[in-house]
Amino acid sequence: MYRAETRGIRVTVEPRFLEEESSPREGRFFWAYTVEIVNLSAETVQLKARHWTITDGEGRSQEVHGPGVVGEEPILEPGESFTYTSGCPLSTAHGTMMGSYDMITQRGERFPVDIPLFPLDSPYVRRVMH
């Protein structure tokens, strides 16, 4: 599991390779990742948007922006958490993801919350020893 904390908002990510959704011979690899967002702060916050940087095994990056997560903009009171699962396809056997959530407090203050860098590894990665 991979974890980051920003202003009392803890984000934990657990990626897993989905063999049944992948087709290595056709250059299609698919991962699911489960994210838990916990509000450890004393303020109520709402997740308004997401920003991801997805990098494949050849170093090609793509940016993904959008409102909320999985169609929701969850409100987290102090001590509450929100968990969701989503997915990521790549044309390479490995890659990475990282990003941020755009949060807003009840007072209207917006701030970014880090999503930790995490690997997308499959059993099809060729390791080279030097």
Side-chain angles (χ1 to χ4, degrees), residues 2-127:
Y2 302 87
R3 180 172 288 157
E5 189 173 319
T6 309
R7 282 185 55 171
I9 309 301
R10 185 176 66 206
V11 178
T12 305
V13 183
E14 186 172 359
R16 66 188 176 285
F17 179 67
L18 297 182
E19 184 81 45
E20 65 278 8
E21 299 292 327
S22 301
S23 182
R25 281 186 234 205
E26 296 168 14
R28 189 183 118 137
F29 303 86
F30 196 84
W31 289 263
Y33 55 91
T34 299
V35 178
E36 179 187 45
I37 304 163
V38 181
N39 184 358
L40 302 171
S41 78
E43 299 183 273
T44 298
V45 297
Q46 183 175 16
L47 190 158
K48 296 299 287 180
R50 69 188 182 284
H51 169 247
W52 288 103
T53 300
I54 304 165
T55 305
D56 72 14
E58 295 179 5
R60 295 177 297 230
S61 289
Q62 85 177 50
E63 304 286 321
V64 177
H65 300 267
V69 290
V70 294
E72 297 187 49
E73 293 182 359
I75 296 171
L76 299 173
E77 301 281 339
E80 288 187 332
S81 65
F82 180 79
T83 301
Y84 72 95
T85 299
S86 192
C88 178
L90 288 180
S91 61
T92 60
H94 65 96
T96 61
M97 289 180 69
M98 65 182 294
S100 63
Y101 296 122
D102 181 23
M103 296 288 199
I104 189 167
T105 68
Q106 286 183 310
R107 296 185 320 268
E109 178 190 0
R110 288 187 176 264
F111 64 99
V113 169
D114 291 334
I115 303 168
L117 174 71
F118 60 93
L120 300 173
D121 289 331
S122 78
Y124 301 96
V125 176
R126 292 192 191 107
R127 303 283 183 209

